Amino acid sequence: AATTVYQAESATVSQGVVESNHAGYTGTGFVNYDNASGSYVQWTVNAAAAGTATLTVRFANGTTTNRPMTIAVNGTTAASGVAFNGTGNWDTWQDVNVNVTLNAGANTVRATATTANGGPNVDKLTVTDGGGSSGPSM
Ligand code: GCU
């Protein structure tokens, strides 16, 4: 399996801003979703082959209220009501995993907030494909 990191600050952002005022992010910052339903971050991710993959969203939520999001792949909802619960403070980051199916080549992955609070702060998306190695099987 291959693992690829896609930073949120390099993604397409609708109703959100790239910031770096809370510690612990990777890359050069994170996306602060606007406090609005429908705000989203969208990544373009590449898969060597069609098949299952695990999407890992690293986030912080300094409130005590869940900020659920819908995860869509290539415009189709792959998971709805994915919980992004409070992490204690805005400097504490946690991972949420979602299993999806990717096409070979380019895919869009969009994480859309579904409540008026908007999304959590999102640091990055890590994609781990489910493919086997291209070397000899064991
Ligand atoms: C605070 C925090 C932001 C966060 C925001 C929110 O302003 O500093 O990083 O995005 O709350 O509630 O979404």
Side-chain angles (χ1 to χ4, degrees), residues 19 21-22 30 32-35 63 67 90 117 119-121:
E19 292 182 336
N21 59 331
H22 295 297
F30 55 85
N32 168 356
Y33 282 68
D34 288 355
N35 299 122
T63 77
R67 295 198 175 183
W90 293 107
N117 287 328
N121 289 349

Side-chain angles (χ1 to χ4, degrees), residues 1 14 19 26 47 61 91 93 108 112 123:
S14 177
E19 292 182 336
T26 65
N61 177 357
D91 300 336
W93 303 81
T108 62
T112 305
D123 177 34

Side-chain angles (χ1 to χ4, degrees), residues 6-124:
Y6 300 91
Q7 291 293 337
E9 62 269 29
S10 304
T12 298
V13 178
S14 177
Q15 299 185 86
V17 288
V18 174
E19 292 182 336
S20 56
N21 59 331
H22 295 297
Y25 56 82
T26 65
T28 58
F30 55 85
V31 171
N32 168 356
Y33 282 68
D34 288 355
N35 299 122
S37 183
S39 50
Y40 70 79
V41 174
Q42 178 172 301
W43 294 266
T44 299
V45 310
N46 283 287
T52 57
T54 300
L55 307 180
T56 302
V57 178
R58 186 168 190 260
F59 74 100
N61 177 357
T63 77
T64 55
T65 302
N66 178 26
R67 295 198 175 183
M69 296 203 287
T70 293
I71 308 296
V73 176
N74 299 321
T76 299
T77 297
S80 57
V82 179
F84 292 84
N85 290 308
T87 57
N89 57 61
W90 293 107
D91 300 336
T92 300
W93 303 81
Q94 293 180 2
D95 288 335
V96 161
N97 293 323
V98 177
N99 294 323
V100 301
T101 301
L102 297 179
N103 297 329
N107 297 261
T108 62
V109 172
R110 184 182 293 195
T112 305
T114 60
T115 71
N117 287 328
N121 289 349
V122 169
D123 177 34
K124 63 178 175 177

